Amino acid sequence: MSRRDYRYLKMMEPDAAWAALRGRVTVPDPAEDDDEIATADAAGRVSSRPVFARISSPHYHGAAMDGFAVRSEATREASEARPVRLRLGDDADAVALDTGDLLPAGFDAVVMVEHAHEPCEGMIEIVKSVPPWQHVRLTGEDVVQGELVVPRGKRLTAFDLGALLAAGAARVRVARRPRVALIPTGDELWEPPVGDGSATPPTGAVIEFNTRVLAALVVEWGGEPVRLPPVRDDARALEGAVTAALDACDVVVINAGSSAGRDDHAPSVIARLGELLVHGVNVMPGKPTALGVARGKALLGLPGYPVSTVVAAELFLQPLVCALLGVAPVTRPSVRATLGRKVPSKVGHAEVVRVQVGKVAGRYVATPVARGAGVITSLSRASGLLRLPPGVEGLEAGAEVSIELLAPRDTVDATLVHVGSHDLTLDLLHDLLRAHYPGRALSSVNAGSLGGLLALGRGECHFSGAHLLDPESGDYTAPYVRRYLPGRDVTLVHLVRREQGLYVAHRNPHCVRGWRDLARSDLRFVNRQRGAGTRVLLDARLRELGVDSDAVRGYEREEHTHMAVAVAVASGVADIGLGIRAAAQALGLHFVPLEWEPYELCVPTGGLADIEPLLAIIRSAEFRLAAEALGGYDASRSGETRSV
């Protein structure tokens, strides 16, 4: 069968694909190939056999309080008015004890030290009676010898370790960690030199990080990752690497090369070494996934795009590792949330959408982040996942959905949500917020100034960043607040003044001077999206100059951040762009200054208390110094407010 013949001939729905794989993989009894380790080292491991208490805990009657061992009958008449006197000593009527001490034979209660005093040496007076066995920890109060402490198949927690040790189990048998071979493939892969933090990959090379992500996930799931050297795009070389991995590991993962391109050898190698069960899974991202078996062991061909890799690994590698351990996969907590933005989707394909989640006015709001299969930062920045079934043709903004949380719920609850214009100082605010208010976070969605105001009006964020020029009045943002949020009491918080200008290549090879150069036919422009404050500024200045937007070559090409515009110019995709100085400075571009503008945060006046920690940071000298160090910022008025 030719390589082309493997193009998704065995595509399945995710559940059916997992069932096909699980039904053919040999899963040994964890108790037949387990490890015996010190209980103190067993946190996170899975018990392979039931553990019964070797001793009772506690294994003696002991004092539960500091005080005196007594015979309860002797204290029956004791009271504040008529204290009872007892002789104190080892062979007397009472014995002094500390918490945890052995209760001497013949005694059946402990009088708290607060209810007794010593009027003279060798005597105590008791002012409160005690019933039998009061303030005594009886033998077996926690667990009795022979009782079950932990069953088989339990992930051992710190509390389990305490219970096991208290029950006399100094060692415990645990399931052997499944060994998962991770084989990165591709001629273009580049391994960062160990210990050289300044090394950069050559042009055209791809940093190999997928298998490092997978290795961390395998550890999290309870397995033992075995990361192997990258294999070039050669079927024979890959077959040799997989064969060797099958000898040493329980699961073999081939990363990349699972589709049907010229150098995609994973499906054919799986078929030659065993049986190809699935090629293509009906989920996005993650569609080009190949699943097979050889020698009863699973062979997984995971896509090369990083988000696709993670989605496919969670669908198939996680339950496989858990099955080999004898445990169920861990499920994430979920919340009901309101979608802050429309989510388009193709009918017939399941889809996993990354979202940022925050709690605004008592309800959870989920806003989608970048959806590209190669955007690994969409996972690191996301705090939740939205799963769309195959029969759904997208969801409208405002829809109620279920979100799997990637972050702890208390972190999500303490997250401040920003929707609006992109600015680099928002990253500073996020970092300083985490530093000064542990547990707090800032979720920022780049939707443009106007998009932020509309989101604020719908109650989908705590505040929005804006820098919208009103050409008629010359004022910024306030006229738009009155127009789009009529009757709302809004406070504008001055964050920074920032310098807008033109991005061009280093040394300005095209001799760009100002606004009029945008109409030059020899320059390719890259624009911001409709509703962005920078786009509003551009359109206003073009009108003033009498320049039609059709005369700007590339006016229709849009990006959503200043950094994306700067990257387009730096990479040669465009010759000129408009944005803030800090982005040009970060990428080593020449910057042609044009004008300064205020960047403000729009906050419902009644919600100012919700962002008080952020306001404190904005007004701090630490923020002002850090912002101005970026270049192109004036933070002298940071924190000033005005009402709209």
Side-chain angles (χ1 to χ4, degrees):
M1 182 177 283
S2 69
R3 185 183 302 119
R4 183 175 299 174
D5 293 333
Y6 283 111
R7 192 169 186 84
Y8 308 136
L9 289 183
K10 298 186 178 184
M11 179 177 288
M12 293 186 184
E13 297 300 321
D15 289 345
W18 165 243
L21 179 65
R22 178 64 182 84
R24 297 297 303 278
V25 172
T26 301
V27 178
D29 183 347
E32 294 179 358
D33 185 19
D34 57 1
D35 299 324
E36 184 181 278
I37 63 174
T39 298
D41 298 330
R45 299 295 295 270
V46 176
S47 58
S48 58
R49 310 181 188 189
V51 181
F52 298 91
R54 293 182 61 250
I55 60 175
S56 297
S57 175
H59 59 279
Y60 61 89
H61 297 335
M65 297 282 183
D66 295 340
F68 302 92
V70 298
R71 298 173 181 84
S72 58
E73 178 66 22
T75 70
R76 186 171 55 181
E77 304 297 332
S79 67
E80 292 280 356
R82 299 180 62 183
V84 171
R85 284 197 173 197
L86 299 176
R87 289 182 300 111
L88 183 62
D90 292 340
D91 297 322
D93 302 316
V95 178
L97 299 176
D98 292 326
T99 301
D101 284 349
L102 173 69
L103 186 72
F107 294 88
D108 67 351
V110 173
V111 174
M112 294 172 58
V113 69
E114 294 90 337
H115 297 152
H117 66 279
E118 300 181 45
C120 59
E121 186 175 351
M123 297 290 293
I124 62 168
E125 285 189 343
I126 298 171
V127 298
K128 187 174 182 179
S129 64
V130 289
W133 307 112
Q134 187 169 44
H135 305 316
V136 175
R137 290 200 68 204
L138 298 173
T139 299
E141 178 181 275
D142 192 352
V143 64
V144 176
Q145 180 179 347
E147 284 186 339
L148 180 69
V149 182
V150 296
R152 76 185 69 192
K154 186 177 194 299
R155 287 190 188 270
L156 300 177
T157 67
F159 310 122
D160 293 324
L161 303 194
L164 288 165
L165 291 170
R171 298 184 68 79
V172 63
R173 300 200 71 89
V174 294
R176 181 178 59 82
R177 289 191 178 105
R179 288 169 58 84
V180 180
L182 303 170
I183 305 175
T185 68
D187 295 337
E188 73 282 5
L189 295 183
W190 181 77
E191 292 272 7
V194 177
D196 187 356
S198 62
T200 56
T203 301
V206 175
I207 298 173
E208 204 299 290
F209 61 81
N210 272 358
T211 59
R212 289 175 169 85
V213 174
L214 291 174
L217 288 172
V218 168
V219 170
E220 182 180 314
W221 298 330
E224 179 185 345
V226 180
R227 186 177 168 275
L228 301 175
V231 176
R232 65 185 185 277
D233 288 321
D234 178 85
R236 184 169 296 179
L238 179 59
E239 188 170 335
V242 173
T243 300
L246 280 169
D247 292 335
C249 297
D250 305 291
V251 181
V252 178
V253 175
I254 305 168
N255 185 226
S258 61
S259 187
R262 182 184 60 188
D263 294 321
D264 291 328
H265 302 294
S268 59
V269 167
I270 292 173
R272 284 198 297 273
L273 293 178
E275 181 181 359
L276 181 66
L277 302 172
V278 178
H279 187 209
V281 178
N282 192 21
V283 64
M284 296 176 60
K287 178 181 176 182
T289 296
L291 307 175
V293 292
R295 308 182 205 169
K297 298 180 179 181
L299 295 176
L300 276 61
L302 302 186
Y305 278 128
V307 180
S308 299
T309 296
V310 172
V311 169
E314 289 200 334
L315 284 173
F316 304 110
L317 183 56
Q318 181 191 19
L320 189 60
V321 169
C322 292
L324 293 171
L325 284 168
V327 297
V330 176
T331 58
R332 298 188 179 103
S334 63
V335 296
R336 297 294 296 176
T338 300
L339 268 183
R341 188 185 296 175
K342 181 179 180 179
V343 178
S345 179
K346 295 180 180 178
V347 174
H349 293 283
E351 187 168 359
V352 180
V353 181
R354 286 80 73 197
V355 298
Q356 290 184 337
V357 190
K359 199 171 189 179
V360 182
R363 63 170 182 159
Y364 291 103
V365 177
T367 305
V369 297
R371 299 175 72 179
V375 186
I376 186 62
T377 53
S378 68
L379 282 172
S380 66
R381 293 172 180 168
S383 53
L385 296 176
L386 167 63
R387 297 187 184 272
L388 299 178
V392 173
E393 187 176 6
L395 294 170
E396 295 296 326
E400 290 293 317
V401 294
S402 178
I403 301 294
E404 293 178 24
L405 294 182
L406 297 175
R409 189 189 297 259
D410 56 353
T411 298
V412 171
D413 290 350
T415 295
L416 296 178
V417 180
H418 163 263
V419 179
S421 172
H422 168 252
D423 190 80
L424 297 181
T425 57
L426 293 171
D427 294 333
L428 288 180
L429 290 179
H430 187 190
D431 180 61
L432 292 173
L433 186 67
R434 295 296 287 257
H436 293 286
Y437 299 89
R440 302 303 298 263
L442 174 60
S443 164
S444 188
V445 178
N446 302 318
S449 295
L450 187 55
L453 287 182
L454 296 176
L456 194 70
R458 294 190 298 266
E460 295 166 359
C461 56
H462 292 101
F463 64 95
S464 64
H467 58 111
L468 290 162
L469 171 65
D470 178 43
E472 294 183 6
S473 66
D475 191 11
Y476 274 83
T477 304
Y480 291 86
V481 172
R482 298 186 189 99
R483 186 181 312 160
Y484 290 101
L485 302 176
R488 295 287 297 275
D489 189 5
V490 174
T491 296
L492 298 181
V493 179
H494 183 91
L495 187 60
V496 287
R497 286 179 71 240
R498 60 186 198 173
E499 194 173 18
Q500 289 268 23
L502 299 174
Y503 303 157
V504 292
H506 184 56
R507 298 181 184 274
N508 195 6
H510 300 290
C511 298
V512 171
R513 298 283 184 268
W515 290 107
R516 289 191 179 278
D517 289 299
L518 293 175
R520 286 169 46 179
S521 61
D522 62 327
L523 297 180
R524 296 166 299 163
F525 179 66
V526 56
N527 207 349
R528 287 293 304 281
Q529 80 276 23
R530 189 178 302 276
T534 300
R535 174 76 164 262
V536 172
L537 174 65
L538 169 70
D539 291 343
R541 296 302 181 238
L542 291 179
R543 284 194 298 271
E544 291 173 2
L545 295 172
V547 175
D548 193 288
S549 61
D550 291 339
V552 180
R553 182 183 172 197
Y555 180 88
E556 68 285 349
R557 177 183 174 85
E558 299 178 349
E559 295 291 350
H560 281 71
T561 68
H562 295 284
M563 291 300 291
V565 170
V567 166
V569 175
S571 64
V573 172
D575 302 307
I576 187 170
L578 176 64
I580 58 175
R581 178 186 286 273
Q585 187 168 300
L587 294 183
L589 295 172
H590 184 81
F591 183 75
V592 180
L594 295 174
E595 54 190 88
W596 287 81
E597 65 175 11
Y599 180 93
E600 297 173 289
L601 305 182
C602 309
V603 189
T605 302
L608 284 170
D610 295 335
I611 69 164
E612 185 54 43
L614 202 67
L615 295 176
I617 291 171
I618 292 170
R619 292 166 179 150
S620 70
E622 184 178 12
F623 169 74
R624 294 177 183 178
L625 290 172
E628 293 183 352
L630 292 173
Y633 286 109
D634 171 13
S636 60
R637 294 175 48 218
S638 296
E640 293 183 7
T641 61
R642 57 180 177 141
S643 298
V644 181

